[in-house]
Amino acid sequence: MRRVIIAGAGIVGLSTALSLRQAGFEVAVRERAPRIRETGAVLGVWPHTIRELERIGLGARLDEIKAERSFVRYRDFSGADFTMTKMPPARTVYRPQLSALLASAVGEDDLRTGKELVDYIEDPAGVTVYYADGDHERADLLVGADGLNSRVRTILAPGTESHHQGGHHVWRAVLPFDRDIGDGAPVLGRNRTRGTLIRLADGSCCWVIAQFGATISTTMTSKEEALARVSDLHDGTWPFALREVVLATPQDSVLHSRVAVVPAISRWASDRVVLAGDGAHAMSPHIGSGASLGIEDARVLGDYLSRADIAPALTAYQDDRLDRYRQVRQHADAMAAAPTPLSYVERFSEYLTWLHTT
Ligand SMILES: Cc1cc2nc3c(=O)[nH]c(=O)nc-3n(C[C@H](O)[C@H](O)[C@H](O)COP(=O)(O)OP(=O)(O)OC[C@H]3O[C@@H](n4cnc5c(N)ncnc54)[C@H](O)[C@@H]3O)c2cc1C
């Protein structure tokens, strides 16, 4: 039986394990962290993603994480509604729940944590993978699903380090909050801000505030930075509990990220090594589909590997995905450059229609 080592047990590494197991591989997932990720906020997943998860065998178990249906319409800061009739209904999942579900489907026997890939050497018969603890092991194939700062990518395609996307910042938190938070429609505010409040299946509340072109103070806390943007998202004339919820958040619970991306690269594969997920293409979260696209990578890779030998399958996968991501980038750039909230929504709608019909 062909054996694959998958570096990284994020959503994409775990999805790849399920997909390649279906393609007939013995899978070995190796994760640097001591545990599968237990933090994070919510992920919006599209009907397209649910179909991909069903195709890699997770469909029947998705009910276990009670993905919530969420709104696919937007408001501006005065509460005016942009209804997006062409948008598919999204579902919102709590990221740690999806990770835990995928990890349990992979199973403990095929998953080891505390294993940081530091190097690999490829030869005609396979690949040897080296770990920070001094250990090494062999496989027929290595998948780099090791995220934004992928070690596998920097060996496979040197000079492709991730970089910050000029001034794009995100603040978010999950907390208990019993009072009414409104209908969950995201707001596209002034000064290129975006904000949302979502009720999760377990009753807790998630808020997210983001801004393109943000200027960050050296003296303010993350919570103060988030609060400073609330007036761009809410003019106070309509019911929106964002300020109340952010004020109720303990400072330690506020996650702040400066958005970083992977440059467009032309090499995703060699004869025995291949990239998937953020390791290959981390993009700005404003397209709300990095994880969805990574799950699609996992399914497509499994399809090619079930039909062909490893080297030709990897070449076919690379060609297929490079073309798709060239188009995703065009959509993402068009959204980020949108001059008004309305044009942002129109461009997002065009992107999602494309995603679901191609
Ligand atoms: C604020 C924000 C909001 C987002 N919202 C959405 C959304 O609504 N919908 C959506 O689809 N996407 C969203 N995304 C994008 C999504 O989070 C990512 O695209 C997705 O999580 C990538 O998954 P991954 O498995 O490729 O990478 P990661 O989740 O980064 O996983 C990589 C794993 O590899 C491990 N690792 C790293 N290096 C090594 C090594 N050397 N050896 C072994 N293991 C290693 C890491 O510890 C990690 O567990 C959002 C992103 C952000 C930042």
Side-chain angles (χ1 to χ4, degrees):
M1 187 186 253
R2 299 183 294 180
R3 179 169 198 265
V4 58
I5 295 172
I6 298 164
I11 285 168
V12 177
L14 294 167
S15 299
T16 304
L18 297 180
S19 176
L20 267 56
R21 192 184 273 160
Q22 277 188 345
F25 279 79
E26 176 195 333
V27 301
V29 182
R30 303 295 182 241
E31 165 59 46
R32 174 178 65 184
R35 277 181 299 281
I36 299 301
R37 183 173 170 152
E38 290 164 342
T39 58
V42 294
L43 280 176
V45 296
W46 305 101
H48 157 81
T49 323
I50 306 286
R51 281 200 301 276
E52 295 291 359
L53 287 168
E54 284 168 353
R55 288 172 73 172
I56 61 169
L58 203 72
R61 299 192 57 187
L62 274 177
D63 287 345
E64 292 173 30
I65 56 173
K66 296 193 200 146
E68 294 282 288
R69 265 175 91 86
S70 62
F71 285 86
V72 189
R73 42 186 264 244
Y74 284 89
R75 293 217 158 92
D76 73 6
F77 93 124
S78 69
D81 200 351
F82 304 109
T83 302
M84 300 173 72
T85 49
K86 280 194 268 170
M87 299 278 278
R91 292 215 272 173
T92 304
V93 297
Y94 186 38
R95 182 195 283 267
Q97 284 186 340
L98 181 59
S99 295
L101 180 65
L102 286 163
S104 98
V106 170
E108 284 177 12
D109 291 349
D110 295 333
L111 171 58
R112 286 173 67 191
T113 55
K115 299 297 284 185
E116 178 182 1
L117 177 149
V118 288
D119 202 1
Y120 69 80
I121 296 178
E122 191 178 346
D123 59 67
V127 54
T128 307
V129 173
Y130 298 87
Y131 297 100
D133 60 7
D135 215 357
H136 66 275
E137 61 182 326
R138 289 275 296 169
D140 301 288
L141 169 65
L142 167 66
V143 179
D146 47 346
L148 176 71
N149 296 312
S150 166
R151 176 75 188 132
V152 178
R153 186 184 69 245
T154 57
I155 300 171
L156 182 72
T160 55
E161 285 72 24
S162 64
H163 59 84
H164 291 293
Q165 193 191 36
H168 191 185
H169 290 252
V170 183
W171 298 264
R172 58 212 184 276
V174 175
L175 68 154
F177 190 84
D178 295 337
R179 276 159 286 159
D180 183 27
I181 60 162
D183 64 10
V187 176
L188 294 171
R190 297 181 304 186
N191 295 319
R192 307 179 74 204
T193 52
R194 313 186 301 284
T196 190
L197 274 179
I198 303 163
R199 178 73 66 197
L200 300 178
D202 68 359
S204 57
C205 173
C206 172
W207 61 264
V208 182
I209 293 176
Q211 187 176 29
F212 292 113
T215 306
I216 301 296
S217 141
T218 49
T219 53
M220 286 161 82
T221 64
S222 299
K223 178 171 166 175
E224 287 165 346
E225 290 282 4
L227 273 172
R229 284 154 178 89
V230 172
S231 56
D232 279 331
L233 293 159
H234 187 210
D235 67 2
T237 62
W238 55 286
F240 186 40
L242 185 62
R243 184 179 301 279
E244 241 180 308
V245 177
V246 177
L247 277 170
T249 309
Q251 161 60 29
D252 290 354
S253 306
V254 179
L255 299 173
H256 169 227
S257 315
R258 191 173 165 201
V259 172
V261 296
V262 169
I265 60 175
S266 56
R267 188 167 192 233
W268 283 32
S270 61
D271 284 354
R272 296 281 176 179
V273 181
V274 68
L275 301 171
D278 273 13
H281 52 68
M283 273 181 284
S284 164
H286 73 276
I287 59 170
S289 52
S292 298
L293 288 161
I295 293 166
E296 191 184 273
D297 293 346
R299 195 270 305 159
V300 173
L301 180 61
D303 281 357
Y304 282 115
L305 284 164
S306 65
R307 297 197 296 262
D309 287 342
I310 292 176
L314 299 191
T315 304
Y317 161 82
Q318 172 180 275
D319 293 347
D320 180 322
R321 302 314 282 165
L322 282 177
D323 185 53
R324 187 148 173 84
Y325 282 96
R326 188 181 46 73
Q327 297 183 67
V328 173
R329 278 175 203 283
Q330 285 172 357
H331 283 282
D333 291 348
M335 279 173 70
T340 62
L342 180 59
S343 61
Y344 183 95
V345 171
E346 286 169 351
R347 290 172 191 191
F348 194 26
S349 173
E350 280 165 25
Y351 167 61
L352 289 175
T353 304
W354 172 82
L355 191 67
H356 281 78
T357 51
T358 53

